Amino acid sequence: VKYINKVEMANTNLQEKVNKLEKYETSYKNTVQQNMILSENLKDMESIIKETDKSITKLKKDNINLSKDNKELIKKYNKLAEKVKLYEKYSYAVIDESGNRTDLTYDQIKLGEELMKEKGYDPNILFSIGMVESGFNEKETSTISTAKGYTQFLDGTAKFTWETLLKHGKGSWNPSIALNGENSIRMCVAYFDYLMKKHGNFYKAMGQYCGAGTSEGSFTYTYIDRMNKHAMRNGVNIYDIINKMN
């Protein structure tokens, strides 16, 4: 009996150990399975991280490109804003009274403004002259004289201005030169400056320019009135400019 009791006790202990082993085995299997799942998850995470890194790298490149594009757009915007500002400043010479676009370009406006300011004159004088003479029609030619171009220079005056005042040299002039807008602007500024230095008086200078003579005749005032009519479309009074000059 004692022996049987010992055997049964031993069996019981053994069963308990077997049960513990089974639990450990189950736990081990669960752990292995969890580790496998974790391993798969880690692989997925690694893949996601790699893709994310690629995306981040691409985004950085895109951001750099966007930054460059943005800088270029800012430059273009500033340039356009500068153009718009200049166009608005002399809009009466860009759009005529009928609402039609003249031939005057941005570069020509900029050139005319710079040249007049260099000589110490208000650029509105130049642009209002151009509107009176041709409405800034670059290829405008007179049917009754040799006058042509933006500022309607007669061939003789144009030749003197081009060869002497602008210092291109004897024999360099030909009539087609006046039909170039930039040339016409340069000639007008040079000749106006020459007349102002010659007479020291705006009315006399403009009298000679428009062919009315230097006696301040009525046509001189009529011509200046026409200049003022164009400039006043932008709120610019030519007579105020003249008074400041005198």
Side-chain angles (χ1 to χ4, degrees), residues 93-208:
V94 178
I95 306 294
D96 66 20
E97 289 175 301
S98 300
N100 298 315
R101 178 72 168 86
T102 67
D103 292 335
L104 193 64
T105 67
Y106 168 76
D107 289 335
Q108 291 168 354
I109 297 171
K110 193 173 182 181
L111 173 67
E113 184 181 62
E114 288 173 354
L115 291 175
M116 287 295 280
K117 285 183 176 180
E118 282 174 10
K119 299 290 186 182
Y121 306 118
D122 191 306
N124 285 287
I125 294 169
L126 165 68
F127 296 121
S128 58
I129 287 173
M131 287 304 291
V132 171
E133 292 290 349
S134 70
F136 275 109
N137 178 355
E138 193 171 33
K139 306 303 180 185
E140 182 79 11
T141 56
S142 173
T143 57
I144 59 173
S145 70
T146 60
K148 57 180 67 68
Y150 277 161
T151 48
Q152 292 292 283
F153 269 80
L154 294 169
D155 281 349
T157 307
K159 184 175 185 295
F160 164 71
T161 303
W162 185 259
E163 293 183 356
T164 304
L165 298 182
L166 290 175
K167 301 178 181 179
H168 285 284
K170 192 173 181 180
S172 62
W173 166 257
N174 72 74
S176 65
I177 289 172
L179 293 172
N180 175 279
E182 181 182 323
N183 292 337
S184 187
I185 286 169
R186 290 184 183 278
M187 289 162 60
C188 185
V189 174
Y191 189 57
F192 176 76
D193 182 51
Y194 163 77
L195 293 176
M196 283 297 296
K197 287 175 179 174
K198 179 180 177 182
H199 299 293
N201 178 281
F202 182 87
Y203 292 99
K204 288 183 178 181
M206 284 310 303
Q208 185 171 343

Side-chain angles (χ1 to χ4, degrees), residues 11-67:
N11 282 336
T12 301
N13 290 336
L14 185 61
Q15 187 62 47
E16 287 178 358
K17 288 179 180 179
V18 168
N19 290 339
K20 282 183 180 180
L21 283 172
E22 286 177 348
K23 284 182 182 180
Y24 288 144
E25 184 182 12
T26 303
S27 178
Y28 171 76
K29 286 180 179 179
N30 289 338
T31 303
V32 169
Q33 190 175 1
Q34 287 175 357
N35 282 342
M36 287 176 66
I37 294 169
L38 284 170
S39 180
E40 290 298 320
N41 288 341
L42 282 172
K43 286 180 181 178
D44 290 342
M45 287 296 290
E46 285 175 358
S47 177
I48 292 169
I49 288 168
K50 285 180 182 178
E51 290 301 317
T52 303
D53 285 343
K54 287 180 182 178
S55 297
I56 289 170
T57 302
K58 186 177 183 301
L59 284 169
K60 283 180 179 177
K61 287 181 180 178
D62 290 345
N63 189 47
I64 290 168
N65 291 332
L66 283 171
S67 180

